[in-house]
Amino acid sequence: MCLASEWGLVPTGQVNIYKLPNNLQKVKVPIVDKAKCTRTYNSFIDQNKICAGWPHNGKGACKGDSGGPLACVIEKRWVMVGCASFGSGSCPVPDKPIVYSYLPNYYDWIDKVRKS
């Protein structure tokens, strides 16, 4: 189980009407099997992507959340493993996980840029 946290739009309960939140939004989401995510997005998912989200309730990153973190507990420490990239529609749709850039593949580059 991981944690997605975002400042993007939240649904108001009315169809296609969203608002900006007053508080940081966060939701626990499971990592989605890469094969399922690949089928969902027609083989667009490569080793630089990771998918997360609930299969039935459509909770997760929403419009305006791009760049938001996906953090998971690894060896008893919170680690940022993803950066929100895209989904299907303005907000999560059931059975369509959110796609994140898989940050461990970029840690060396991030560290190099940070130090320069």
Side-chain angles (χ1 to χ4, degrees):
M1 195 62 68
C2 298
L3 184 71
S5 52
E6 321 291 349
W7 284 100
L9 298 177
V10 294
T12 63
Q14 298 177 36
V15 177
N16 294 325
I17 306 223
Y18 305 94
K19 66 177 184 168
L20 290 172
N22 293 322
N23 300 307
L24 178 65
Q25 302 296 297
K26 54 189 179 282
V27 63
K28 289 182 180 178
V29 290
I31 298 299
V32 174
D33 176 79
K34 190 170 284 275
K36 178 182 179 356
C37 198
T38 295
R39 285 189 305 274
T40 301
Y41 291 104
N42 298 319
S43 300
F44 184 72
I45 308 307
D46 61 17
Q47 72 278 3
N48 294 318
K49 306 274 188 302
I50 187 171
C51 299
W54 290 103
H56 303 295
N57 68 10
K59 289 189 176 183
C62 201
K63 188 173 185 173
D65 289 335
S66 293
L70 176 68
C72 305
V73 175
I74 299 174
E75 296 178 5
K76 299 182 182 180
R77 293 179 41 204
W78 282 101
V79 177
M80 188 172 163
V81 298
C83 183
S85 182
F86 67 91
S88 180
S90 296
C91 282
V93 175
D95 291 322
K96 301 235 184 218
I98 302 301
V99 180
Y100 295 81
S101 295
Y102 184 61
L103 294 181
N105 289 351
Y106 298 96
Y107 285 165
D108 289 341
W109 177 80
I110 292 167
D111 195 48
K112 182 180 174 183
V113 169
R114 183 182 61 85
K115 290 178 180 177
S116 64

